[in-house]
Every structure is written in structure tokens, then in C-alpha cells.
Amino acid sequence: MAWTQRYIVSTCCRVLYTLRTAEVESKRGALEWARERLDPRWRPLLTQVLQDRELGWDPGDPPRPGSLEAACEFAAYAESLDADRRR
């Protein structure tokens, strides 16, 4: 469902924000932070998630074509940033 895709991306952004700043941020704030500071290739996905968050929870709402795959790729990217930080 579309909500899952948005949840994956926003959670990754919140984790990255906390790892980088040692502070907790709202989902929207973390998404905006990520859109400004992470690799620009993720801006379309982050913008889409910011816009679609307003749609809320709808279990019948399918994700946009390709967006779930993009969310999984973003999660792998976020994990790689954390791995680089721990080295």
C-alpha cells in the first residue's frame, strides 16, 4: 500500500536526522532536511513522499508505480550512510 512506501522513506529520514544531529525531528521536518542535504537523486522521491503524506492511511491505496522499489533503494542508501558513519 502507498502508506508503507511513505512510512519507509520518512522513517529512514528521521533515523538519518537523529544520527547526524543527535536530535529528534518530525517526519515532515526530517523529510525536508533530507531533501536539502542528501544526494539530489532522492529529491523527487522525498518530494513525492512529502506531498503524499497528506493522503493519510488508506489500506486500498496502491503505491505509485515504481515508488515502492524506490523506497527500498532509498532505505539501502540510508543504511549505507549509517555504515559509512560507523567506520
Side-chain angles (χ1 to χ4, degrees):
M1 74 182 74
W3 180 87
T4 302
Q5 180 260 344
R6 297 188 298 266
Y7 180 80
I8 290 168
V9 174
S10 61
T11 299
C12 288
C13 290
R14 290 186 85 192
V15 168
L16 288 174
Y17 181 90
T18 299
L19 288 171
R20 297 276 174 93
T21 67
E23 297 178 10
V24 177
E25 180 59 86
S26 68
K27 292 178 185 108
R28 174 168 293 285
L31 284 161
E32 290 170 349
W33 171 87
R35 189 170 58 174
E36 295 301 318
R37 288 172 181 80
L38 299 182
D39 189 319
R41 71 182 162 140
W42 300 111
R43 284 188 189 137
L45 174 67
L46 297 169
T47 299
Q48 176 249 306
V49 170
L50 275 164
Q51 292 170 346
D52 288 357
R53 285 188 70 242
E54 297 184 23
L55 300 174
W57 166 262
D58 180 355
D61 187 20
R64 293 180 189 201
S67 66
L68 189 55
E69 294 82 1
C72 291
E73 290 171 13
F74 180 75
Y77 166 76
E79 185 177 17
S80 75
L81 290 178
D82 180 48
D84 290 344
R85 183 188 67 82
R86 288 186 274 154
R87 289 185 192 152

